[in-house]
Amino acid sequence: MKLKSLYLLVLFSLLFLGCKDKSAQKEPGMEAKKISYANTINPDNFKAVIEGDSVNLYTLTNKNGLKADFTNFGQRLIALHVPDKDGEMGDVVLGLPTLDAYMNGPKNNFGAVIGRYGNRIAKGKFSIGNTEYQLAKNNGENHLHGGTIGFDAVIWKVRQSGIDQIEFTRISPDMEEGYPGNLDVKVTYELTDENELKISYEATTDKATIINLTNHSYFNLKGEGKGDINDHVMMINASGYTPVDAGLIPIGTIESVEGTPFDFTSPKTIRQDLNSNHPQMVIGGGYDHNFVLNETPKNSGGLVLAARVTEPTSGRVMEVYTSEPGVQLYGGNFLNGNSTGKGGKPYMKRNAFCLETQHFPDSPNQPDFPGTLLKPGEIYKSTTVYKFDVVK
């Protein structure tokens, strides 16, 4: 009986070891692909304590290897790595390599949240009822992107709920930059497994105020620092746009894009009409205009397709979906080389474009534009999705 028991013990041990070895073997093609990211950000370059508030670098990833880096200073998207047609990752947003460069270098809005009001307000004035409010004039005689110290230049509280989602919160105090009401703001970023960067804005106030939040990322689908964006092929789903005066303030009308350089209803290169002598192109020094979005088509989440951009060399495609009525196309006209990016190259004129989803500029002073008033008891909500794909 002892020999039989010993025989069974040895047999069981051999079977167990055999199963263990088999389970440890990898099936052909199952080896994990090592993903390489160019110009990886050093987290130590973004660690600081400023007036008692901690600043850090935060990273989101999805199952496909997309990666997004944020700092809670200005709630900025610093880097966004997405694949090209060969599966190689590339960083497609402009950004700076250190916190110090954002705080103490030339003023910029690279990747930042913009508020309380994205874009321009004429002469920095607006009224709610019989009360007139005066904001900072930080763009000639006008107010731009929230003022002298907007949402892009303050520290946000952070809660990262997983590898693919992060939430930024802040209370903007009553009369900050001249805006009435204590505004409680929450912005959530999610990097989905469908290769979408989804941005969800939410806010409440204790006093009637105006609000128009957006993200000011600069995109180059070839990769940041890799030249101009003029050969990107762009479609903007808009039949109308809002012409501007010499100060880039809307004159109050909505005009058809048909027959103008602003007609992107059929895909064309950004370069195609860039040197047009159309008066609006002369005023803007290129594209820096608000487009009035059509109401269809929509994605499965009910968001309107605002734009689709393709970069022929890399094969990268970016689609923009939004709940907002407008989108600002900015062609990087004022980039001048005074900021050096993550790859060590200066950002020159038209090295990137922006597609800023929004309510229209100067809406508080334009009764025919969609309103931006937020009252106590109401909840401001806005959603924008940047979705990435490739064409072979």
Side-chain angles (χ1 to χ4, degrees):
M1 295 293 291
K2 290 182 178 179
L3 288 173
K4 185 177 180 180
S5 297
L6 181 60
Y7 170 77
L8 291 172
L9 179 62
V10 172
L11 181 62
F12 176 78
S13 298
L14 289 172
L15 288 170
F16 174 77
L17 289 172
C19 291
K20 185 176 181 181
D21 289 343
K22 186 175 181 180
S23 65
Q25 294 174 356
K26 291 183 178 179
E27 295 293 331
M30 292 295 290
E31 293 82 2
K33 180 182 178 182
K34 186 176 180 181
I35 299 174
S36 176
Y37 301 100
N39 304 326
T40 301
I41 302 295
N42 184 350
D44 291 339
N45 291 339
F46 284 86
K47 289 183 178 179
V49 177
I50 302 172
E51 297 181 356
D53 294 319
S54 294
V55 179
N56 283 288
L57 184 77
Y58 301 88
T59 298
L60 303 184
T61 57
N62 75 356
K63 71 176 184 181
N64 304 315
L66 275 70
K67 184 163 78 83
D69 294 313
F70 295 87
T71 173
N72 56 318
F73 173 73
Q75 196 187 125
R76 291 171 181 263
L77 175 64
I78 302 172
L80 178 61
H81 292 86
V82 303
D84 66 9
K85 62 186 178 184
D86 299 317
E88 299 298 320
M89 290 293 175
D91 183 1
V92 297
V93 295
L94 271 55
L96 306 180
T98 67
L99 177 63
D100 181 70
Y102 282 105
M103 296 186 66
N104 300 313
K107 182 172 173 58
N108 66 78
N109 298 117
F110 297 144
V113 66
I114 301 298
R116 291 187 189 187
Y117 199 97
N119 220 307
R120 293 171 174 84
I121 296 177
K123 298 181 180 178
K125 291 183 179 181
F126 68 95
S127 296
I128 299 177
N130 295 322
T131 304
E132 183 177 85
Y133 294 93
Q134 178 65 60
L135 308 173
K137 296 180 180 180
N138 63 322
N139 184 241
E141 65 175 3
N142 301 316
H143 178 84
L144 176 66
H145 289 337
T148 307
I149 302 177
F151 284 6
D152 61 295
V154 295
I155 299 169
W156 292 73
K157 294 180 179 178
V158 186
R159 185 176 73 90
Q160 187 164 357
S161 55
I163 63 171
D164 60 352
Q165 190 172 97
I166 192 167
E167 176 184 290
F168 296 93
T169 57
R170 180 176 183 265
I171 296 177
S172 173
D174 183 34
M175 299 311 296
E176 182 175 54
E177 292 293 309
Y179 291 93
N182 293 293
L183 189 73
D184 194 343
V185 183
K186 178 174 71 174
V187 185
T188 304
Y189 298 81
E190 182 182 2
L191 196 58
T192 76
D193 288 338
E194 287 71 42
N195 293 352
E196 301 168 329
L197 180 63
K198 182 179 180 181
I199 310 175
S200 302
Y201 306 88
E202 188 172 310
T204 58
T205 184
D206 61 1
K207 186 187 296 184
T209 190
I210 58 172
I211 183 171
N212 185 30
L213 303 182
T214 192
N215 177 273
H216 208 300
S217 287
Y218 287 70
F219 294 96
N220 185 329
L221 299 184
K222 287 187 291 191
E224 67 90 23
K226 292 190 175 180
D228 69 49
I229 44 77
N230 295 337
D231 290 323
H232 285 54
V233 178
M234 181 172 289
M235 185 283 297
I236 299 178
N237 181 30
S239 300
Y241 77 108
T242 51
V244 295
D245 64 18
L248 299 180
I249 297 292
I251 60 177
T253 62
I254 296 174
E255 296 186 10
S256 172
V257 301
E258 187 175 358
T260 76
F262 302 95
D263 190 349
F264 285 90
T265 53
S266 295
K268 67 179 182 181
T269 63
I270 296 173
R271 181 189 308 278
Q272 180 170 313
D273 295 315
L274 195 53
N275 295 319
S276 166
N277 61 1
H278 188 286
Q280 285 293 305
M281 294 293 285
V282 175
I283 287 174
Y287 292 108
D288 193 4
H289 293 77
N290 172 67
F291 288 75
V292 180
L293 296 175
N294 299 329
E295 295 182 357
T296 59
K298 296 182 179 181
N299 68 3
S300 59
L303 303 178
V304 168
L305 173 65
R308 180 184 293 111
V309 188
T310 303
E311 200 289 297
T313 305
S314 67
R316 292 188 180 100
V317 179
M318 182 177 79
E319 293 181 333
V320 184
Y321 296 88
T322 188
S323 60
E324 290 294 302
V327 64
Q328 183 90 3
L329 169 60
Y330 169 55
N333 310 322
F334 302 118
L335 294 173
N336 59 9
N338 66 357
S339 293
T340 299
K342 294 157 288 187
K345 295 181 179 180
Y347 292 145
M348 306 302 294
K349 185 176 182 178
R350 301 197 175 115
N351 275 186
F353 65 88
C354 302
L355 286 168
E356 306 155 60
T357 57
Q358 61 182 7
H359 272 57
F360 306 167
D362 200 36
S363 285
N365 298 311
Q366 302 287 353
D368 293 332
F369 287 179
T372 56
L373 184 68
L374 180 67
K375 299 177 181 178
E378 298 176 341
I379 301 176
Y380 166 87
K381 289 187 177 182
S382 177
T383 303
T384 292
V385 170
Y386 296 95
K387 181 178 176 64
F388 296 91
D389 203 345
V390 293
V391 290
K392 300 292 185 179

